[in-house]
Amino acid sequence: MIGPTFPAVLTAAAGGDEDAFGVLWHDLQPRLLRYFKLIAPGAAEDLAAETWVAMIGAIDRFQGDEAAFRAWVFTIARHKARDWWRRTARKPVQELPATGLAEPPAPDDPAATVLEDASTRAALALIATLPAGQAEAIVLRVVAGLEVKQVAELMDKRPNTVRVLTHRGLRRLAQRLGADQGPRARRAV
Amino acid sequence: MGAHDTWSAEIKRLPFTPDPDPLALDEDLAERLLDGDLRPDQAPAGYAEVAALLAAAVAPPSPAELAGREAALAELRAATRARRAIPLPAAR
C-alpha cells in the first residue's frame, strides 16, 4: 500500500510525473504479475503491460481513494485476462508445472532475493492447485490486497460466496501443507 | 445389575463429544490470515504453514518483477503528450 501520500502520487502520475508513476509501478506491477501468473500463466508479462497501457490511458479520469484505485486496476487486469482466455481457450487456472517455477534468476540478483523469489513462486504454485474460484479469491484478497466487497464485485459474486471460497481455499491449503509435512506435523495438528 | 452394566449405563449418559476439527477455521482467523495480520508463530496448529505461504505470496518484489518500467514510462510520456495536445474548448 502506498498510504497517505496516495492522492498526491496519483495526481502527479496522472500529470506525467515519472517519479510518482514509479511509486505506482513499484506497488502494483509485482501484484499484477503474481495475479496473472495464477490466472493466465504464460502471458503474465504481456497482460500486465496491456493493463498498464489501459490504466495510463484513463488514469487522469480516475476518481477515488487507494482501495478504489487498486480495485479499478484489478478490474482492468481481469478483463485483460478474460480476453486472453477467449483468445487461447485455455483453462483460467492451471496447475503450474514444477519445472516452470524455477526460471533462472538474473545473474546480478543477490542470493536472498533469489530465495525470496523462489519462495513466492512456490507459494503461488501451491495456491494455483486450488479450484479456480478459491485460488483467484485468495490471490485477490492477499496479493491484490482487495476487500471482500471489492473481490465480490470483481468476480461477479456475492460477498458471502467470496468468504466461502477463501475459507475453503485456506482449509484446503492447510490440509495440503499438513500432508506435505508428514506424520510429525499431522500429530502436531 | 453388575458392575459392567453400571459402567455401560454411565457411558451412555455422557454427552456425545465428537473429535474437535483440527483445522477449524473461524471468520476472524480467516480474515487475519488473509490480511497478513498473523505471523506463522502466532497461527494456530495447522495454519502456521498457511500463514508462511501467504507471507511468501506477498514477499517484496524481485528485480525481475520490476523490469519493464521503461516501456510503461514511454507509454506514460506518450499519453501525457497527447493530453497536453488536446486544445481546450474556446471560451465564449
Side-chain angles (χ1 to χ4, degrees), chain A residues 30-100:
Chain A
R31 298 176 197 273
L32 283 170
L33 285 176
R34 293 173 192 184
Y35 174 62
F36 282 131
K37 279 177 181 168
L38 180 91
I39 65 166
E45 282 78 9
D46 289 346
L47 292 178
E50 287 181 26
T51 302
W52 280 100
V53 169
M55 190 201 316
I56 288 166
I59 196 171
D60 60 326
R61 296 191 295 278
F62 175 81
Q63 291 186 330
D65 60 13
E66 184 172 8
F69 182 74
R70 204 180 277 229
W72 176 62
V73 169
F74 277 88
T75 301
I76 297 172
R78 197 167 198 264
H79 287 153
K80 296 295 175 191
R82 204 162 51 189
D83 291 345
W84 179 81
W85 299 338
R86 288 198 188 108
R87 287 199 301 268
T88 60
R90 287 185 197 169
K91 283 167 60 182
V93 173
Q94 300 173 341
E95 189 165 338
L96 299 183
T99 50

Side-chain angles (χ1 to χ4, degrees), chain A residues 101-117:
Chain A
L101 302 174
E103 290 170 14
D108 57 346
D109 280 354
T113 304
V114 172
L115 287 174
E116 205 159 63
D117 191 27

Side-chain angles (χ1 to χ4, degrees), chain A residues 33-35 37-39 93-98 100-102 114-130 134-136 138-140 142-143 169-170 172-174 176-177 180, chain B residues 48-60 65:
Chain A
L33 285 176
R34 293 173 192 184
Y35 174 62
K37 279 177 181 168
L38 180 91
I39 65 166
V93 173
Q94 300 173 341
E95 189 165 338
L96 299 183
L101 302 174
V114 172
L115 287 174
E116 205 159 63
D117 191 27
S119 146
T120 301
R121 287 166 183 272
L124 292 173
L126 189 59
I127 294 171
T129 64
L130 296 174
Q134 294 176 15
E136 186 175 14
I138 286 178
V139 166
L140 286 171
V142 174
V143 175
L170 291 174
R172 200 176 287 224
L173 286 173
R176 291 191 181 168
L177 287 164
D180 288 348
Chain B
E49 292 89 356
V50 176
L53 175 103
L54 298 180
V58 290
E65 286 180 307

